[in-house]
Amino acid sequence: MSAAEDADLSEVERAALDLVLETRGIHQSELWKELDISSRKGSRVAESLVDNDLIRREETVYQGHNTYFLMPTASDLDFSLLMAGDMLSPFIGEEEVDPRSDAFSQWLMNLAYEEY
């Protein structure tokens, strides 16, 4: 059971968490606008989700205003789409990957064999 399933969330908290997870991160000022709630309520909802370790929050400036950026906790992220068997995608990192390289070919083969 995930932390989100364990937490006793209100309807608006659940909607906020879903929005943070869906967007993979959203500014708090955009969150309350998307949910059609006041900035005060949006702040309380975000604080509640942070207190329950369901999201992380970092101070930032967005459109010239101080706000927070709300992100999923690492435990809520699904890295399985980057894996093929036990190989991490060669596209992870800063170097450019040649689609004709052995590393990419091997990763694709692992991905294809995983499907069967």
Side-chain angles (χ1 to χ4, degrees):
M1 201 180 260
S2 71
E5 293 168 333
D6 286 341
D8 186 24
L9 300 179
S10 70
E11 189 174 318
V12 71
E13 289 170 333
R14 173 68 56 197
L17 178 59
D18 288 346
L19 187 56
V20 171
L21 294 175
E22 179 182 300
T23 60
R24 293 288 181 219
I26 187 169
H27 289 94
Q28 185 169 303
S29 54
E30 292 299 314
L31 177 91
W32 57 264
K33 290 175 188 174
E34 286 287 325
L35 296 176
D36 196 26
I37 57 177
S38 70
S39 62
R40 174 181 245 173
K41 183 163 186 155
S43 181
R44 284 192 202 131
V45 166
E47 286 174 16
S48 173
L49 295 175
V50 168
D51 290 345
N52 283 301
D53 292 324
L54 299 173
I55 64 169
R56 295 181 300 128
R57 182 165 81 162
E58 291 181 5
E59 289 184 37
T60 188
V61 176
Y62 178 63
Q63 295 182 342
H65 300 284
N66 292 337
T67 187
Y68 291 97
F69 191 70
L70 311 174
M71 299 158 284
T73 59
S75 63
D76 288 323
L77 299 176
D78 180 11
F79 296 103
S80 66
L81 297 175
L82 302 175
M83 301 297 292
D86 62 351
M87 289 184 69
L88 183 64
S89 168
F91 290 103
I92 302 302
E94 298 195 16
E95 36 188 270
E96 191 171 322
V97 175
D98 180 354
R100 293 167 288 178
S101 71
D102 288 340
F104 182 61
S105 296
Q106 185 62 47
W107 186 79
L108 278 178
M109 293 301 289
N110 279 356
L111 190 60
Y113 287 126
E114 195 174 82
E115 295 295 316
Y116 294 105

